[in-house]
C-alpha cells in the first residue's frame, strides 16, 4: 500500500468515526423523542392503550423530558452537521478515483439524502426547538415526528450507499465506471435492509442507555424525581427491546449476509483459518496470522456452522481457502472489533434484562447498584456501535467497493494529493476535532448539570418575546 | 439529459450562493458593528443560516450524482481550497452558535472574530474557486490535475475572489438594510449604497480580465444570443437595485441584489457550457457535460425524484417559517 493511501485512510477513519459519534445519539434520540412527544400529546386518562393512559401531570413530565432531550439533540445535530459536510467533500478530495468510479451509483443515494432528508430535518428541527409555545402543541408533536423521519431517512440513504460498497448491485461497468442500471435494485440491495435495521437499532440502544443513564444519575443525586423516572422507564424498556432486536433478528441476519457475500470478512471476524464442517464459535481467542491459528481459545463446538446455515455440520469457509491478497489488511483488527461489539452487546442486553426485571418488580428506582450500572453503561453502547462499523469497514478491505475496486485504487492520485498534503490536513482535522470534542463535552455537561427544570424555565412564554431564546436548529 | 442536470446543478449552486450569500455578507460586515448591533445581526441570521447551507450539501450531492468525474477532479485538484472551505465552514458554524453560550466578553469577542474572519474568507474563497473554474485548470489526459496553493491563488482568481467578497458583503448589507431596526439599518443602508459602486466597478473591471483568460466566454454569447439574457439580467438587476436604494425600497433592493448574483452565476454557467470544468492549457482535456456525466438511466431516475424533493423542500420552508412567525406578527424577522 503506497503511502498517500494510508494517509487518506487514516484521515477518513478519523473524520468518519468522529462524525458518527453524533448521529448515533441523534438517530436514537429522535425515536425516543417522538415517543415522548406522542405520549405527551395523545395521552389521556381514558385512553384505551395503556401506554397512553397518563394523567395531565404525567403528560407534562413527558413534555419536559422531550424538551430536555431536544436540547441535547440540538447540540449533537449541530456537531453532526458540521462534521458530516466534511465527509461529502472528502469523497472528492481524498477519494477522487473512488468517486469517479462509483459516483454514477452512490451519487444517487447521497444526493437523495441531501434533498429528501436534510431539508426536512433541519427545517422541522428549527420549529421543534423553537418550542411548543411558539408553534402550538399539535405542530410541536408533528415536528418531532418529522425530525424523526428526517433523521431515519438520512440514515437509510447512507446505509444504502455503504451497502453498495459492501455488496455492489444494480450496476453495469461502462468505460471503467459503474453506472446504475436499476434504481429499485439499488434501494433493495439485500445487504441494505439488515444493515439498516441493525444500525438503527444500535443507535436506539445508545439513545435508550443515555436516557436511562441520565435518569439514574439524577436519581442517585436525588434530583428531578419525576423526570428521572420517565427517563429510566422509557430508557430501560427501550434498551430491552432494542438490545434484543440488535442480537436477533438484525445481528443474526446481518451476519448471515456477511457470511454469504463477504466470506473473507466473515472468516476474519470469526478468526477462522481452516475451512471446516461443524465450525466452532469462538468466544475468546487471539488470532495469529503468521501461523494461521487462534490461540487461547474458548469455543462452542459447531455453533458457528449452525448460526450461519442453520445446520450443525454446514461448511464454513476459512481464510486458508481465500488468497491472502483478498484478506482484510488486518485480520486481528476485524476479529477484535467484532468480538468487542458482540461482547458488549451481550453485556448491554444483560443489563437491560436485569433493569427491566427490577422495573417490573418496582424496585428499580431504589436499587443503588442497578442505578450505578445504568449510569455507567452508556459509553459501552458507543464503543459497540463504533466497533461494529470498524468491522464493516476494515472487514471489507482490501476493497473500497467489494470485489470491484481496491482501496488503493480508489484514493486521489498521488500527483493531486501527495502524502504530505494529506498528512497536514489530517493533523489539522485532528486538532480541530479535539477542540470541537471539548466544546461538545462542555456544553453537554452544562445542559445535564442544569437539568430539565432549567429547560423549562427558559421556555419563552407565549406573551412576551424572548430574544435570547435560541431558535436555530443548532443553537442551544 | 446531461444538459438538464447542468441546469439543475447551476440552479442549486446559485440558490446556495444567493441564500447563504447574505448571511456570509452579514458575517463579513459584523466586524464593523458594535456589540449590540452584532447581537441584532446574528439574531437575524441565527435561525436560517444552516438551512441555507443545506443547499450547499444538496447541490454538492447532485453534482456528485450527475458529474462524478468533474466532482472527483475538481475536489482533488483544488485540495487545499476545498479543505480550507471545510475548516472555515466549521469555524463559522461554531462562532455563530457558541457566541451566546457563555456570558463572558472575551469569549464573545473570540467567537465573533472567528465568525467574521471565516465568513469573509469564505466569500473570498468561493470567488477564488469560481475564478479558477472560469480560467480553467491544468487538466491532464487522465482527467485529474494538481494546483499548488499559490497556483490556486492566481491573479485572476484573486480578482474574482475580491469581487465575490464585495458582492456578498453588499448582499449582506442589503439584507440588514431591509431587516434590521434603526440605527443598524441606517448604517447598513449607507454601506449598501457605497458597496453598490464597488460592485459596478468590479463588474465592469472583471470583464476585460475574463476576456483575457477565457475569450470563448464572450464568443459563446455571440453564437447563442439568447444566452445574453443572463448578463442582461445581472446588469438590469444592478440598475434596479440602485433605483430601489434611492427610492428607499429595501426589500426590493435586496431582491435585486440576489438577482444580480443569480445573473452573474448564470452568465458564467451559460458562458462555460458545455464545459463544466474547462482545461487551462490543453483545451481538449476539459471536462464537458457529455464526458463527465453519469449514465442515462441514473440521470432519468434522479430527475424524477429531484422534481419531487425540491418542491417538498420549499413546502417545508414555507410551513416552518409560517409556523415560527404567524404567532408573533410584532417581530416578522425572516425573509
Amino acid at each position: 500500500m503506497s503511502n498517500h493511501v494510508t494517509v487518506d485512510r487514516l484521515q477518513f477513519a478519523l473524520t468518519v468515526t468522529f462524525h458518527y459519534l453524533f448521529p448515533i445519539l441523534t438517530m436514537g434520540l429522535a425515536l425516543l423523542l417522538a415517543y415522548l412527544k406522542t405520549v405527551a400529546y395523545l395521552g389521556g386518562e381514558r385512553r384505551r392503550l395503556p401506554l397512553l393512559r397518563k394523567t395531565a401531570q404525567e403528560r407534562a413530565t413527558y413534555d419536559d423530558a422531550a424538551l430536555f432531550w431536544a436540547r441535547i439533540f440540538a447540540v449533537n445535530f449541530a456537531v453532526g452537521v458540521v462534521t458530516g459536510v466534511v465527509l461529502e467533500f472528502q469523497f472528492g478530495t481524498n477519494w477522487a478515483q473512488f468517486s469517479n468510479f462509483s459516483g454514477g451509483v452512490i451519487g444517487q443515494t447521497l444526493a437523495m439524502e441531501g434533498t429528501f432528508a436534510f431539508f426536512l430535518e433541519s427545517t422541522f428541527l428549527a420549529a421543534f426547538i423553537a418550542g411548543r409555545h411558539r408553534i402550538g402543541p399539535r405542530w410541536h408533536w408533528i415536528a418531532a415526528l418529522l425530525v424523526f423521519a428526517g433523521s431515519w431517512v438520512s440514515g437509510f440513504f447512507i446505509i444504502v450507499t455503504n451497502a453498495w460498497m459492501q455488496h455492489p448491485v444494480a450496476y453495469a461497468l461502462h468505460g471503467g465506471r459503474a453506472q446504475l442500471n436499476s434504481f429499485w435494485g439499488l434501494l433493495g440491495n439485500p445487504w441494505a435492509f439488515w444493515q439498516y435495521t441493525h444500525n438503527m437499532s444500535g443507535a436506539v440502544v445508545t439513545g435508550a442507555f443515555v436516557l436511562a443513564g441520565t435518569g439514574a444519575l439524577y436519581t442517585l443525586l436525588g434530583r428531578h424525581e419525576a423526570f428521572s423516572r420517565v427517563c429510566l422507564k422509557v430508557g430501560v424498556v427501550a434498551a430491552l427491546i432494542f438490545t434484543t432486536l440488535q442480537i436477533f433478528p438484525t445481528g443474526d441476519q446481518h451476519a448471515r449476509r456477511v457470511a454469504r457475500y463477504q466470506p473473507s470478512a466473515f472468516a476474519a471476524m470469526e478468526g477462522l483459518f481452516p475451512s471446516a464442517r461443524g465450525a466452532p464459535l469462538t468466544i475468546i481467542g487471539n488470532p495469529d496470522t503468521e501461523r494461521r491459528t487462534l490461540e487461547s481459545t474458548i469455543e462452542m463446538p459447531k455453533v458457528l456452522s449452525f448460526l450461519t446455515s442453520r445446520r450443525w455440520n454446514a461448511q464454513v469457509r476459512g481464510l486458508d481457502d481465500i488468497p491472502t491478497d483478498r484478506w482484510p489488511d488486518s485480520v486481528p483488527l476485524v476479529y477484535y472489533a467484532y468480538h468487542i461489539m458482540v461482547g458488549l452487546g451481550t453485556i448491554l442486553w444483560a443489563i437491560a434484562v436485569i433493569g427491566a426485571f427490577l422495573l417490573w418488580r418496582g424496585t428499580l428506582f431504589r436499587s443503588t447498584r442497578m442505578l450505578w450500572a445504568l449510569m455507567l453503561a452508556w459509553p459501552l453502547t458507543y464503543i459497540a456501535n463504533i466497533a461494529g462499523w470498524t468491522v464493516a469497514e476494515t472487514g471489507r478491505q482490501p476493497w473500497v467497493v467489494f470485489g470491484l475496486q481496491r482501496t488503493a485504487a480508489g484514493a486521489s492520485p498521488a500527483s493531486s494529493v501527495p502524502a504530505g498534503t494529506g498528512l497536514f490536513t489530517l493533523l489539522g482535522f485532528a486538532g480541530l476535532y479535539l477542540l470541537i470534542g471539548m466544546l461538545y463535552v462542555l456544553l453537554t455537561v452544562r445542559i445535564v448539570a442544569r437539568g430539565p427544570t432549567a429547560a423549562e424555565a427558559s421556555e419563552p412564554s407565549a406573551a412576551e418575546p424572548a430574544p435570547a431564546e435560541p431558535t436555530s436548529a443548532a443553537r442551544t | 439529459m446531461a444538459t438538464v442536470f447542468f441546469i439543475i446543478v447551476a440552479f442549486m449552486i446559485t440558490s446556495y450562493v444567493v441564500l447563504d450569500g447574505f448571511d456570509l455578507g452579514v458575517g463579513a460586515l459584523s466586524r464593523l458593528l458594535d456589540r449590540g448591533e452584532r447581537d441584532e445581526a446574528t439574531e437575524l441570521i441565527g435561525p436560517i443560516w444552516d438551512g441555507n447551507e443545506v443547499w450547499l450539501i444538496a447541490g454538492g450531492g447532485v453534482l456528485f450524482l450527475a458529474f462524478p468525474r468533474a466532482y472527483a477532479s475538481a475536489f482533488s485538484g483544488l485540495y487545499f481550497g476545498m479543505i480550507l472551505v471545510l475548516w472555515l465552514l466549521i469555524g463559522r458554524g461554531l462562532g455563530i452558535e457558541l457566541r451566546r453560550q457563555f456570558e463572558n466578553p472575551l469569549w464573545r469577542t473570540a467567537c465573533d472574530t472567528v465568525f467574521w474572519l471565516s465568513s469573509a474568507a469564505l466569500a473570498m474563497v468561493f470567488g477564488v474557486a469560481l475564478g479558477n473554474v472560469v480560467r480553467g485548470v491544468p487538466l491532464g489526459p487522465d482527467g485529474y490535475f494538481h494546483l499548488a496553493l499559490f497556483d490556486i491563488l492566481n491573479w485572476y482568481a484573486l480578482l474574482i475572489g475580491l469581487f465575490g467578497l464585495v458582492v456578498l458583503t453588499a448582499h449582506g448589507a442589503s439584507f440588514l438594510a431591509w431587516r434590521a431596526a434603526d440605527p443598524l439599518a441606517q448604517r447598513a443602508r449607507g454601506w449598501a449604497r457605497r458597496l453598490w459602486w464597488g460592485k459596478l466597478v468590479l463588474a465592469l473591471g472583471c470583464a476585460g480580465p475574463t476576456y483575457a483568460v477565457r475569450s470563448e466566454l464572450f464568443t459563446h454569447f455571440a453564437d447563442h444570443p439568447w444566452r445574453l439574457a443572463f448578463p442582461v439580467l445581472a446588469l438590469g438587476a444592478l440598475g434596479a437595485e440602485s433605483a430601489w436604494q434611492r427610492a428607499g425600497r429595501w426589500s426590493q433592493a435586496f431582491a435585486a441584489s440576489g438577482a444580480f448574483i443569480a445573473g452573474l452565476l448564470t452568465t458564467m454557467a451559460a458562458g462555460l457550457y458545455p464545459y463544466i470544468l474547462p482545461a487551462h492549457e490543453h483545451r481538449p482535456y476539459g471536462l464537458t457535460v457529455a464526458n463527465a456525466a453519469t449514465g442515462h438511466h441514473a440521470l432519468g431516475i434522479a430527475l424524477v425524484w429531484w422534481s419531487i424533493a425540491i418542491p417538498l423542500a420549499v413546502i417545508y420552508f414555507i410551513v416552518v417559517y409560517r409556523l415560527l412567525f404567524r404567532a408573533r406578527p410584532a417581530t416578522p424577522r425572516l425573509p
Side-chain angles (χ1 to χ4, degrees):
Chain A
M1 183 191 300
S2 57
N3 209 357
H4 74 282
V5 180
T6 312
V7 173
D8 290 333
R9 287 183 65 182
L10 284 174
Q11 179 164 314
F12 205 86
L14 170 77
T15 52
V16 78
T17 306
F18 186 77
H19 165 72
Y20 191 59
L21 292 173
F22 304 96
I24 295 177
L25 188 59
T26 50
M27 294 188 301
L29 268 187
L31 177 70
L32 300 173
L33 262 177
Y35 174 71
L36 292 172
K37 274 309 294 186
T38 304
V39 173
Y41 180 69
L42 292 183
E45 285 177 46
R46 294 160 169 275
R47 295 282 175 187
R48 237 193 282 156
L49 200 63
L51 282 176
L52 294 177
R53 206 176 297 138
K54 304 283 177 198
T55 64
Q57 198 171 2
E58 282 172 317
R59 285 165 57 197
T61 309
Y62 272 77
D63 225 22
D64 289 346
L67 204 67
F68 173 83
W69 289 109
R71 288 156 69 81
I72 301 273
F73 185 98
V75 178
N76 275 274
F77 182 78
V79 182
V81 169
V82 293
T83 55
V85 183
V86 172
L87 301 177
E88 185 184 330
F89 272 53
Q90 277 187 336
F91 280 135
T93 52
N94 296 70
W95 298 94
Q97 296 185 87
F98 161 70
S99 296
N100 186 24
F101 175 75
S102 58
V105 182
I106 63 169
Q108 196 80 227
T109 41
L110 285 179
M112 288 178 86
E113 188 202 17
T115 41
F116 278 109
F118 288 156
F119 283 118
L120 181 66
E121 201 179 359
S122 65
T123 47
F124 282 98
L125 183 60
F128 186 72
I129 299 291
R132 183 163 48 98
H133 297 276
R134 193 93 174 260
I135 64 173
R138 171 141 52 119
W139 275 103
H140 201 232
W141 171 60
I142 294 174
L145 296 184
L146 290 177
V147 167
F148 160 66
S151 81
W152 280 50
V153 167
S154 167
F156 177 73
F157 286 123
I158 287 301
I159 292 288
V160 171
T161 305
N162 186 263
W164 189 81
M165 294 163 67
Q166 303 286 356
H167 177 56
V169 294
Y171 69 95
L173 291 176
H174 289 293
R177 301 199 286 168
Q179 305 287 14
L180 182 71
N181 62 15
S182 164
F183 178 70
W184 297 112
L186 175 67
L187 294 189
N189 185 342
W191 187 288
F193 178 76
W194 291 111
Q195 185 185 10
Y196 179 62
T197 49
H198 190 59
N199 186 70
M200 299 318 276
S201 148
V204 183
V205 169
T206 292
F209 272 96
V210 167
L211 229 70
T214 311
L217 169 75
Y218 287 145
T219 307
L220 288 169
L221 289 172
R223 292 169 55 189
H224 315 302
E225 194 189 320
F227 169 82
S228 304
R229 290 194 169 198
V230 168
C231 289
L232 273 168
K233 221 164 29 180
V234 174
V236 166
V237 173
L240 178 65
I241 297 171
F242 286 92
T243 47
T244 309
L245 290 178
Q246 196 63 2
I247 298 165
F248 188 86
T250 67
D252 171 61
Q253 290 292 338
H254 188 36
R256 294 179 69 192
R257 298 299 177 290
V258 178
R260 189 180 314 159
Y261 299 121
Q262 282 188 7
S264 53
F266 190 74
M269 279 154 61
E270 300 291 351
L272 187 70
F273 288 95
S275 299
R277 275 181 190 291
L281 183 73
T282 307
I283 307 296
I284 290 178
N286 306 326
D288 180 341
T289 42
E290 292 288 307
R291 292 191 290 138
R292 300 195 171 193
T293 54
L294 269 179
E295 294 170 343
S296 326
T297 51
I298 299 178
E299 294 176 340
M300 292 164 75
K302 300 198 175 187
V303 172
L304 184 60
S305 285
F306 179 78
L307 286 177
T308 44
S309 311
R310 301 289 186 265
R311 283 182 291 117
W312 293 104
N313 277 317
Q315 174 88 6
V316 180
R317 204 154 132 208
L319 285 167
D320 287 350
D321 283 337
I322 296 167
T324 44
D325 71 342
R326 290 175 170 239
W327 285 19
D329 308 319
S330 176
V331 171
L333 180 59
V334 181
Y335 172 88
Y336 287 123
Y338 176 67
H339 280 76
I340 283 170
M341 174 188 79
V342 172
L344 291 180
T346 312
I347 291 170
L348 290 166
W349 178 76
I351 295 175
V353 168
I354 299 169
F357 177 72
L358 295 182
L359 181 69
W360 175 61
R361 295 292 308 270
T363 56
L364 176 64
F365 307 125
R366 282 175 281 126
S367 163
T368 312
R369 258 177 292 179
M370 192 61 216
L371 291 172
W372 270 91
L374 284 172
M375 183 175 72
L376 297 177
W378 63 269
L380 305 183
T381 66
Y382 280 91
I383 298 172
N385 272 304
I386 296 296
W389 273 104
T390 306
V391 176
E393 296 303 286
T394 59
R396 190 188 62 230
Q397 304 299 330
W399 307 96
V400 62
V401 182
F402 193 80
L404 288 182
Q405 188 180 44
R406 282 180 180 265
T407 305
S412 295
S415 56
S416 296
V417 186
T421 305
L423 197 55
F424 168 72
T425 56
L426 166 61
L427 294 173
F429 276 114
L432 195 56
Y433 282 4
L434 186 65
L435 179 74
I436 296 177
M438 290 192 302
L439 289 169
Y440 169 79
V441 170
L442 198 68
L443 292 175
T444 307
V445 166
R446 203 175 56 159
I447 295 172
V448 174
R450 282 181 180 172
T453 39
E456 236 169 294
S458 75
E459 177 86 1
S461 69
E464 57 174 328
E469 174 66 15
T471 42
S472 153
R475 213 174 318 167
T476 53
Chain B
M1 186 60 94
T3 303
V4 172
F5 270 86
F6 183 83
I7 295 167
I8 287 179
V9 169
F11 165 75
M12 294 186 83
I13 290 175
T14 304
S15 302
Y16 167 68
V17 178
V18 170
L19 287 173
D20 209 28
F22 69 80
D23 60 65
L24 286 168
V26 170
L29 279 173
S30 69
R31 174 76 184 92
L32 306 174
L33 307 177
D34 66 33
R35 207 190 128 159
E37 291 173 333
R38 206 172 284 170
D39 288 349
E40 187 185 348
T42 44
E43 199 67 40
L44 283 173
I45 58 173
I48 39 182
W49 72 271
D50 69 357
N52 293 341
E53 238 168 55
V54 173
W55 282 94
L56 176 68
I57 302 170
V62 175
L63 177 65
F64 183 37
L65 153 81
F67 305 105
R69 207 172 146 199
Y71 187 87
S73 178
F75 277 52
S76 60
L78 298 169
Y79 187 79
F80 270 122
M82 291 297 170
I83 299 288
L84 192 62
V85 167
L86 288 174
W87 291 352
L88 291 171
L89 284 172
I90 293 175
R92 188 167 176 271
L94 293 178
I96 186 170
E97 293 300 336
L98 295 176
R99 64 189 298 278
R100 287 237 158 187
Q101 292 293 333
F102 299 94
E103 290 301 328
N104 178 317
L106 286 184
W107 173 263
R108 194 168 287 195
T109 305
C111 285
D112 286 347
T113 307
V114 169
F115 180 61
W116 88 257
L117 269 177
S118 47
S119 298
L122 272 171
M124 182 112 195
V125 169
F126 285 136
V128 167
L130 287 183
N132 275 302
V133 171
V134 170
R135 180 173 174 263
V137 292
L139 283 165
D142 58 352
Y144 290 101
F145 67 98
H146 170 64
L147 268 181
L149 184 61
F150 284 161
D151 295 329
I152 296 180
L153 301 175
N154 56 72
W155 66 270
Y156 178 73
L158 284 175
L159 177 69
I160 301 296
L162 178 68
F163 192 27
L165 178 61
V166 169
V167 168
L168 295 189
T169 308
H171 198 38
S174 261
F175 176 74
L176 290 180
W178 168 41
R179 275 288 150 200
D182 288 335
L184 175 56
Q186 284 306 331
R187 294 185 70 192
R189 285 166 194 173
W191 292 324
R193 286 198 193 97
R194 262 170 278 160
L195 284 164
W196 184 88
W197 287 102
K199 286 201 289 193
L200 181 70
V201 169
L202 278 167
L204 298 175
C206 286
T210 303
Y211 187 78
V213 298
R214 185 155 297 276
S215 56
E216 67 253 39
L217 208 72
F218 290 79
T219 50
H220 275 171
F221 287 107
D223 298 340
H224 309 276
W226 69 267
R227 289 192 204 163
L228 282 170
F230 300 114
V232 167
L233 167 70
L235 290 175
L238 195 60
E241 189 188 356
S242 172
W244 275 320
Q245 279 182 354
R246 266 171 288 161
R249 301 172 70 169
W250 292 99
S251 61
Q252 281 97 330
F254 174 68
S257 169
F260 173 65
I261 295 172
L264 285 179
L265 291 171
T266 47
T267 300
M268 189 193 95
L272 286 178
Y273 180 85
Y275 283 100
I276 190 159
L277 187 64
H280 183 46
E281 278 139 21
H282 302 280
R283 300 272 158 130
Y285 294 157
L287 300 180
T288 64
V289 165
N291 71 17
T294 193
H296 208 73
H297 180 75
L299 291 179
I301 291 284
L303 188 61
V304 173
W305 61 250
W306 191 87
S307 324
I308 299 170
I310 293 298
L312 274 179
V314 173
I315 292 172
Y316 307 150
F317 274 100
I318 294 172
V319 167
V320 167
Y321 282 168
R322 290 186 57 172
L323 276 178
L324 286 179
F325 298 100
R326 67 172 178 192
R328 305 172 66 194
T331 53
R333 282 181 151 175
L334 283 180

